[in-house]
Amino acid sequence: ATMMSTMEDIAPSVGTMSMRSRLRAAKKAVREATEQALKAAESEETLIGGGLETLGKPPGDANDMKFKSTSTEATSLSTDGENMHPNLASELDDGASFELGMQLFGDDVAAIESEVSAKLDTVEAELTKIMNAEKAQKQRSNDISEDSKGDQQRDVIMANISDEHATKLEIQKLTIKISFLRECSKARVSLDKSGSVSISPSGDGLVEASTLLARAEESLGKAEAGLATASEKMLQTDTGAKELEVAERIVDSIRVQIRRRRVDFLARASTILDACIQVTPTSISVRLPPPQKGISSTHSSQGLEAAFDAIQELSKSPMEKKDKTVRYLEESIHLLTSKLHSIILDPLISGYERSNITKDYHKGWKFSESTKDDSTGLLRTRSGASATTIKGPILMLSWSAKDPEADASKSDSHDSNIVAWTHALEFISSFMGFVYERVLLKRQPLCNIAGRILFGNSTDQYDSAFSAMKLEGLTIGSVKIGEQNGLLTKKMLDIMWDVCIPKALPSTDLHALSGMALKLQMSTRQFEDDLHQWGFLMQNSFGATTDDSNLPNMFPISDFANNFVLKFSEKRRSMILSEGRDLLLKNDYHVTVKVGTYSPEKIESDNEDSVDFGDRDDGMSVFQLHECAISQVASNLLGLCRKTMEEATDHQVNNAGPSLALLPPTLYRTARELLDLYRAIVPAAHWSEVSTIPRTAAVLHNDCVFFAHHLLSFGNEFRAKFPPITEGGDVQGKVIRQMCTFVDLVPPFRSLADKALGDMIERQKFQLMDIVASRLEMLGKAVESNENVTEWTDAETALTAGLYHLRHIAQAWRPILSHDVFARAMGNLVDTLLLFFLDQIMKAKAISVPASHFLSALFRDAIRGTADLFDGSSYEKKIKAASTNCELWGRFIGVGKFVDMSLADINVGLSEGVFKSVTGSELSQLILAAFDHSDKRAKLLHALASE
């Protein structure tokens, strides 16, 4: 009313008022309209998260009274605008009227909005007249000749030009504000209409209400765009920045109301979907719309149709486009599809897993549709604020397993699982056909979304997944496709791999693979064609079309079926490698078995009279494996390798046809990979024991020697069993016959054997150092004493401890290592023990006579104790074995004899070769330490020096 009276005052004064006064009057009219908008917004709107919060305040509230008083003052505004609303009274400038982002909530919104729109048109027309008058005045000023102007006139003209520019800016700002106000008014009208329609007692108005809400969001988007255009100009002044903040707050208030309404509509649509679609593990029910007599309105839809239309309208909003993560239609279909998947499809598919499959799944499925009338159906929204009535008959699709007599199709034992899987595809096809026609109402966009959720639409990721499957050596479960590529696809591929492809086939039955592949291809092709036809697989999603007989089969299920024979080869490889892995990880590695045929110890015992047991060697011993113990795991693994190679060289496998041409090379590669598995798993799984326990290190050493020995001739053994190379024959057959070898694996096994036993010998040396060397540190000084001292006792203790430690090692290694390896390994450790004693004696400055007797006895005990560590039927043979395998044995014997000799005995010993392992300098040092100066000593030293 205030705005109307103000505009009436403006109308007669257009010709008489000054341009500035007219502009001020227009601003006053707009400002008063803003006062009304703010009063309505503050009295009825509540902002979520802050802002205006007056909703629900009791009548007579202090703020309400304050606003009434302010409003009364606003009706008596003068042309200068002294008395204003507190939110606008800070500045008289026209920027204060930018609080036009209004929400006109009243008793009759449509009437108020119509009246305000008419007055805004009047104000806009007045602004146009003012602008035209400005242009005319500027033209008159330009017509005045520059020569006729004086200085005073020139100043007046420049002042008028400046005033014209300011007036133009004011007009532009008011025009933007009027446009902003008009769009807010449209948004409010659409929002109010959507509220009135949505409260209809029937759900058939939901689509119209959603459409109106979308229009409100569109108008609000235009208002926000205008606000963004004006923001740069408004932020140039402090007053403009404050007014812009208020405008944005009011726009946010409108947006909150739209969001509330949208949430309510979405909840109503979701409730309709939940009520119209009922799902159980054995049936799915859909409520059909009731027959409508004589009603042809596009807004008379009910049930599923209304829910889908409403959600689709709500998904078109400008706010929806700003927030890419909020996709109402996709989310609704995703919830519905996930429900169908979790209750029906996934349990059914899981029933075809090898561990769950039963005879019922081989019978197939029978479907039945039934309809029953249900004229009542009252649903309440999730918020409980309003109710929606849905009436109509209920259509139910139910299913059950067929009777054995009903399925007359017969199949042999090899493809029975493929027949069962064909029944699964038929079930999914029939079920998805019902979903297409009755649930998704034949709407291609909805079917595309559901198909993308269930079956995916990315070919690249499927291709990479199957590439990974080709490298799969352990289990198909390691292939990760992900939910974004389909909830069903990965599960179906896993079951096809596990159930449809046989784990193994006798070589005589390999021809059956072609027939099995054909059956699977036919069923998957029909399945894929149906999905394409209904829109669950989009035409270009997998590079395929339904009318192309040469379908490229980019869809992974068809790709799997077309490569069925290749998948059989891959599964054979996977199963063999899985068996090998289980063999390595699930069996006790410490269980050993004896292998080898050549034993020097046995030959020696058979020929006691022979001086050299090698006389009985027939020259083939170098090619024989010495008798030793290996793990049962290694023995079984080589047996599995041999079995795999026998399958690869089987005549019927190599002549099974072009489709199985890759099977022999695949099996050959698998045999090599089994050996790689040993080198990868056993050291990693048992390395802590290998590095600390002598027996385990010896077992690993023998295993590697065992593999290296057999691999030298393994390739030659089976190469001749492959089919002969013929002209025009299979190229792969030629290559495998030429390249079948395992010799390249020998060096890695030998290297691993050396590392295992070598590291253990080094560890035992360090342990001997801790046991023996620490007790012999002062022995070199102690031998100068003429009586028994503590250091002599420590030396005896050190020898006893060292021999005890070596006996334990010999006890662990003797039944495991071969005769030669055991002798060399023990000789290495014995050298370490003897070296500790020799070093102390060699650095002695003097050796007393009592010490010489002590050392002689000590060395004899050492010789006797270390000789017992070696194999031999008599002490002499043990001594011989020790002298053969211990580098320091002759030196230690010579020093032991020296300490108990006179100078004359030494001369005799030199002639007999007793000291052949002792250097001249070492013997001279011992003579200087053990004997006093004399002519005999001098002559002996001179003789040693001359030599």
Side-chain angles (χ1 to χ4, degrees):
T2 305
M3 184 174 179
M4 291 172 60
S5 61
T6 305
M7 296 308 301
E8 290 172 357
D9 294 339
I10 292 176
S13 62
V14 171
T16 59
M17 296 174 64
S18 66
M19 190 173 302
R20 188 67 182 172
S21 298
R22 292 161 60 189
L23 185 60
R24 185 179 295 110
K27 290 190 292 183
K28 176 184 176 183
V30 175
R31 184 183 299 114
E32 291 175 353
T34 306
E35 289 288 336
Q36 289 183 343
L38 291 176
K39 177 180 178 181
E42 291 184 359
S43 61
E44 296 190 14
E45 175 59 20
T46 298
L47 283 177
I48 296 177
L52 301 173
E53 298 180 355
T54 60
L55 185 63
K57 292 184 178 180
D61 185 88
N63 292 335
D64 187 49
M65 296 302 295
K66 176 181 177 181
F67 192 88
K68 288 181 179 179
S69 175
T70 306
S71 180
T72 303
E73 293 177 359
T75 59
S76 59
L77 289 171
S78 65
T79 57
D80 294 330
E82 292 89 350
N83 298 315
M84 298 177 134
H85 188 279
N87 289 338
L88 305 175
S90 59
E91 294 289 344
L92 181 61
D93 187 81
D94 63 307
S97 64
F98 198 60
E99 296 188 15
L100 296 179
M102 50 182 279
Q103 300 186 20
L104 300 175
F105 292 88
D107 295 334
D108 191 356
V109 175
I112 294 176
E113 294 296 344
S114 177
E115 185 177 338
V116 170
S117 179
K119 297 306 178 183
L120 288 176
D121 292 340
T122 303
V123 175
E124 190 172 18
E126 172 63 14
L127 291 177
T128 303
K129 292 179 181 180
I130 295 174
M131 187 176 295
N132 292 335
E134 284 286 335
K135 291 181 180 179
Q137 182 176 351
K138 182 177 181 180
Q139 185 63 35
R140 289 194 301 270
S141 299
N142 293 335
D143 293 340
I144 300 175
S145 174
E146 184 68 25
D147 297 337
S148 63
K149 295 178 183 177
D151 293 339
Q152 185 176 1
Q153 289 178 330
R154 188 178 298 108
D155 294 339
V156 172
I157 291 173
M158 294 300 294
N160 289 337
I161 291 174
S162 177
D163 187 62
E164 291 171 4
H165 180 69
T167 303
K168 183 178 180 180
L169 291 177
E170 291 177 353
I171 293 173
Q172 291 177 351
K173 292 180 181 179
L174 282 177
T175 302
I176 293 174
K177 297 167 188 177
I178 291 173
S179 176
F180 174 76
L181 177 60
R182 182 177 287 111
E183 295 300 332
C184 289
S185 176
K186 291 179 181 179
R188 181 64 191 94
V189 171
S190 299
L191 185 62
D192 182 73
K193 288 182 179 180
S194 69
S196 62
V197 173
S198 65
I199 60 176
S200 172
S202 174
D204 58 4
L206 186 58
V207 178
E208 181 181 1
S210 301
T211 304
L212 290 171
L213 186 63
R215 291 178 186 173
E217 292 187 70
E218 182 180 2
S219 299
L220 184 61
K222 293 180 180 179
E224 289 184 281
L227 190 63
T229 303
S231 60
E232 296 182 0
K233 298 179 181 179
M234 299 302 299
L235 289 174
Q236 295 177 359
T237 62
D238 294 340
T239 304
K242 294 179 182 178
E243 293 164 352
L244 183 61
E245 181 181 356
V246 174
E248 290 175 347
R249 186 185 65 184
I250 298 177
V251 170
D252 289 340
S253 177
I254 298 177
R255 185 184 297 109
V256 166
Q257 289 301 308
I258 293 176
R259 286 176 176 172
R260 289 175 178 172
R261 193 65 52 81
R262 189 196 309 118
V263 169
D264 180 62
F265 292 166
L266 287 173
R268 188 184 298 273
S270 299
T271 303
I272 294 174
L273 289 178
D274 292 342
C276 289
I277 303 173
Q278 299 294 325
V279 179
T280 67
T282 58
S283 66
I284 178 172
S285 304
V286 178
R287 185 182 293 273
L288 303 176
Q292 300 182 17
K293 299 179 181 180
I295 299 178
S296 60
S297 174
T298 58
H299 299 295
S300 62
S301 60
Q302 296 186 27
L304 287 176
E305 186 177 0
F308 286 138
D309 288 341
I311 296 174
Q312 189 167 6
E313 288 296 327
L314 294 173
S315 298
K316 297 178 181 178
S317 68
M319 295 182 184
E320 162 76 13
K321 295 178 181 178
K322 288 182 180 180
D323 189 358
K324 297 298 183 182
T325 62
V326 181
R327 298 177 296 180
Y328 304 120
L329 186 61
E330 286 82 353
E331 287 184 352
S332 299
I333 300 301
H334 188 280
L335 290 175
L336 174 60
T337 307
S338 299
K339 183 178 180 180
L340 298 177
H341 172 261
S342 61
I343 297 177
I344 297 177
L345 295 176
D346 185 64
L348 176 112
I349 294 298
S350 299
Y352 284 89
E353 293 177 348
R354 186 175 295 275
S355 59
N356 299 330
I357 193 167
T358 62
K359 294 182 179 180
D360 291 340
Y361 288 88
H362 291 274
K363 302 173 185 177
W365 302 89
K366 58 181 180 180
F367 291 85
S368 62
E369 288 190 12
S370 60
T371 305
K372 67 175 182 178
D373 294 331
D374 186 6
S375 59
T376 63
L378 183 62
L379 304 176
R380 187 165 299 277
T381 60
R382 295 177 182 178
S383 61
S386 58
T388 301
T389 303
I390 301 177
K391 299 179 180 180
I394 295 177
L395 177 64
M396 175 182 291
L397 176 70
S398 58
W399 53 85
S400 61
K402 290 182 178 179
D403 297 330
E405 297 80 7
D407 188 7
S409 61
K410 302 296 182 182
S411 61
D412 55 35
S413 58
H414 293 313
D415 60 357
S416 59
N417 286 342
I418 291 183
V419 172
W421 179 248
T422 301
H423 295 326
L425 295 181
E426 293 172 352
F427 177 92
I428 297 175
S429 181
S430 300
F431 179 78
M432 296 306 296
F434 182 85
V435 171
Y436 162 75
E437 181 177 0
R438 297 298 186 177
V439 177
L440 301 181
L441 307 179
K442 300 182 180 181
R443 301 189 180 193
Q444 288 293 325
L446 303 184
C447 294
N448 293 159
I449 297 173
R452 191 164 60 246
I453 295 170
L454 286 176
F455 305 105
N457 63 352
S458 173
T459 61
D460 294 337
Q461 292 173 344
Y462 282 117
D463 291 341
S464 63
F466 277 95
S467 297
M469 199 179 295
K470 294 176 183 178
L471 299 176
E472 160 73 18
L474 304 180
T475 173
I476 192 65
S478 65
V479 179
K480 300 296 183 183
I481 296 180
E483 182 177 341
Q484 68 273 15
N485 298 307
L487 296 173
L488 273 182
T489 305
K490 180 185 181 301
K491 192 68 169 287
M492 295 174 71
L493 291 173
D494 288 345
I495 294 177
M496 290 175 70
W497 174 273
D498 185 48
V499 174
C500 295
I501 301 178
K503 293 182 178 181
L505 280 177
S507 58
T508 55
D509 295 341
L510 289 176
H511 64 277
L513 285 174
S514 300
M516 297 165 65
L518 182 60
K519 289 183 179 180
L520 188 61
Q521 290 168 11
M522 294 176 60
S523 61
T524 53
R525 178 63 60 83
Q526 183 62 46
F527 173 74
E528 184 179 350
D529 288 347
D530 291 341
L531 294 182
H532 273 292
Q533 179 181 353
W534 297 326
F536 295 110
L537 291 181
M538 291 178 288
Q539 179 173 348
N540 296 323
S541 295
F542 302 98
T545 56
T546 57
D547 57 353
D548 186 2
S549 59
N550 297 318
L551 197 66
N553 297 302
M554 295 300 290
F555 185 51
I557 296 177
S558 291
D559 179 72
F560 190 103
N562 283 359
N563 294 280
F564 181 81
V565 179
L566 176 62
K567 300 302 178 185
F568 172 77
S569 300
E570 294 173 1
K571 186 169 183 178
R572 282 296 301 141
R573 170 177 170 265
S574 177
M575 297 305 298
I576 293 173
L577 291 178
S578 297
E579 183 180 353
R581 184 196 61 176
D582 293 340
L583 193 88
L584 295 172
L585 292 177
K586 297 183 179 180
N587 292 299
D588 188 358
Y589 185 70
H590 302 91
V591 177
T592 58
V593 294
K594 285 288 185 178
V595 295
T597 58
Y598 176 70
S599 176
E601 185 180 15
K602 288 184 178 180
I603 294 177
E604 179 184 358
S605 62
D606 293 340
N607 190 12
E608 294 289 343
D609 298 332
S610 176
V611 178
D612 185 0
F613 60 82
D615 293 343
R616 294 187 51 140
D617 190 357
D618 57 1
M620 298 299 293
S621 61
V622 68
F623 301 107
Q624 295 176 346
L625 178 66
H626 292 190
E627 188 179 38
C628 63
I630 64 170
S631 66
Q632 184 70 56
V633 168
S635 178
N636 293 342
L637 187 67
L638 186 65
L640 182 60
C641 289
R642 186 174 296 277
K643 179 181 177 182
T644 303
M645 287 302 297
E646 288 174 353
E647 183 178 352
T649 56
D650 187 275
H651 178 73
Q652 292 179 330
V653 172
N654 286 273
N655 293 278
S659 60
L660 281 172
L662 285 177
L663 182 56
T666 301
L667 294 174
Y668 164 65
R669 181 183 63 163
T670 304
R672 293 175 57 90
E673 289 172 339
L674 285 172
L675 300 169
D676 292 335
L677 271 182
Y678 180 91
R679 291 192 295 114
I681 292 178
V682 171
H686 303 283
W687 191 251
S688 60
E689 299 177 20
V690 170
S691 60
T692 57
I693 302 176
R695 183 183 185 276
T696 308
V699 171
L700 178 59
H701 169 273
N702 288 355
D703 286 352
C704 295
V705 171
F706 173 74
F707 284 126
H709 173 79
H710 283 280
L711 293 180
L712 286 172
S713 58
F714 206 63
N716 293 331
E717 178 183 349
F718 289 98
R719 183 185 301 156
K721 295 182 180 181
F722 283 102
I725 301 175
T726 58
E727 292 295 332
D730 180 52
V731 176
Q732 291 179 341
K734 294 180 181 180
V735 172
I736 191 173
R737 185 179 178 88
Q738 294 172 353
M739 300 301 296
C740 179
T741 181
F742 291 82
V743 176
D744 58 308
L745 298 178
V746 172
F749 276 108
R750 286 180 175 173
S751 176
L752 182 58
D754 292 342
K755 179 176 177 56
L757 192 58
D759 289 350
M760 178 53 63
I761 291 175
E762 291 300 319
R763 178 182 177 85
Q764 297 307 317
K765 287 182 179 180
F766 280 109
Q767 291 185 359
L768 283 174
M769 182 181 296
D770 293 337
I771 296 171
V772 178
S774 60
R775 294 184 171 96
L776 298 177
E777 292 179 352
M778 301 304 295
L779 181 60
K781 290 284 187 180
V783 295
E784 299 177 4
S785 176
N786 289 316
E787 58 184 19
N788 193 355
V789 293
T790 305
E791 286 76 5
W792 295 4
T793 304
D794 291 340
E796 292 175 341
T797 304
L799 177 61
T800 303
L803 292 175
Y804 180 81
H805 183 74
L806 291 178
R807 280 194 291 270
H808 274 282
I809 297 175
Q811 185 179 1
W813 281 353
R814 183 174 283 108
I816 302 298
L817 295 175
S818 65
H819 178 270
D820 289 346
V821 175
F822 171 78
R824 290 195 297 269
M826 292 306 301
N828 201 321
L829 294 179
V830 168
D831 281 341
T832 302
L833 177 63
L834 300 181
L835 183 61
F836 294 144
F837 290 91
L838 289 175
D839 286 345
Q840 292 295 324
I841 302 303
M842 290 300 179
K843 68 181 182 180
K845 300 298 182 181
I847 301 175
S848 65
V849 175
S852 297
H853 297 312
F854 165 74
L855 291 176
S856 177
L858 184 66
F859 275 48
R860 286 194 301 270
D861 293 340
I863 292 171
R864 187 182 301 107
T866 52
D868 289 337
L869 298 174
F870 295 91
D871 295 329
S873 58
S874 63
Y875 179 72
E876 289 76 12
K877 292 180 179 180
K878 292 181 180 179
I879 291 293
K880 183 178 179 180
S883 62
T884 303
N885 295 283
C886 297
E887 295 182 1
L888 298 180
W889 188 261
R891 185 183 175 196
F892 191 82
I893 293 290
V895 174
K897 290 181 178 181
F898 170 84
V899 295
D900 202 24
M901 284 183 177
S902 63
L903 291 175
D905 294 335
I906 293 174
N907 276 319
V908 176
L910 285 172
S911 62
E912 294 178 352
V914 175
F915 304 106
K916 61 183 178 180
S917 298
V918 183
T919 63
S921 60
E922 291 175 340
L923 187 57
S924 298
Q925 184 177 353
L926 289 173
I927 292 172
L928 289 173
F931 298 96
D932 295 333
H933 176 69
S934 65
D935 293 338
K936 290 183 178 181
R937 190 185 80 167
K939 290 180 181 180
L940 183 58
L941 291 176
H942 178 71
L944 292 174
S946 63
E947 293 178 359

